[in-house]
Amino acid sequence: MAKRPKTQMLSAVRGCTIDMDGDDQRPTRCIIGLLTEDGVISFALSKQGAKTLMLALQTFIDRVDAPKRDAAIKRQTDPSDPGRSRQ
């Protein structure tokens, strides 16, 4: 089995920048800058790389939010919940 690469944990990210490289109408890559406590960390992504990163981040957000979403659905559908509005 291949050895897993070491994961780099960034210091707290306080913001980000994005710039496009290439033609205004058809950029060829995006340059991302993450503003951290240690400075700016920059990297570039192609169109496919940007799509892959967005999918990965959305998957993470969905998993983080799932318990809250499930609890809200349970509250809305649980007839024994006294806080549920009656119709």
Side-chain angles (χ1 to χ4, degrees), residues 39-58:
V40 177
I41 297 173
S42 297
F43 57 94
L45 295 169
S46 66
K47 178 182 175 181
Q48 187 58 46
K51 286 182 174 185
T52 301
L53 180 61
M54 291 301 296
L55 178 61
L57 291 171
Q58 188 61 56

Side-chain angles (χ1 to χ4, degrees), residues 11-82:
S11 57
V13 176
R14 297 176 292 154
C16 64
T17 61
I18 185 169
D19 194 12
M20 310 293 169
D21 194 18
D23 185 0
D24 284 344
Q25 297 299 318
R26 296 184 55 96
T28 56
R29 66 183 183 151
C30 66
I31 298 112
I32 307 292
L34 298 176
L35 308 173
T36 71
E37 293 175 348
D38 298 333
V40 177
I41 297 173
S42 297
F43 57 94
L45 295 169
S46 66
K47 178 182 175 181
Q48 187 58 46
K51 286 182 174 185
T52 301
L53 180 61
M54 291 301 296
L55 178 61
L57 291 171
Q58 188 61 56
T59 300
F60 172 72
I61 295 297
D62 289 347
R63 288 185 183 177
V64 168
D65 288 345
K68 293 177 193 172
R69 184 178 55 246
D70 293 345
I73 291 170
K74 185 174 188 293
R75 281 193 306 273
Q76 292 173 356
T77 59
D78 186 357
S80 65
D81 184 2

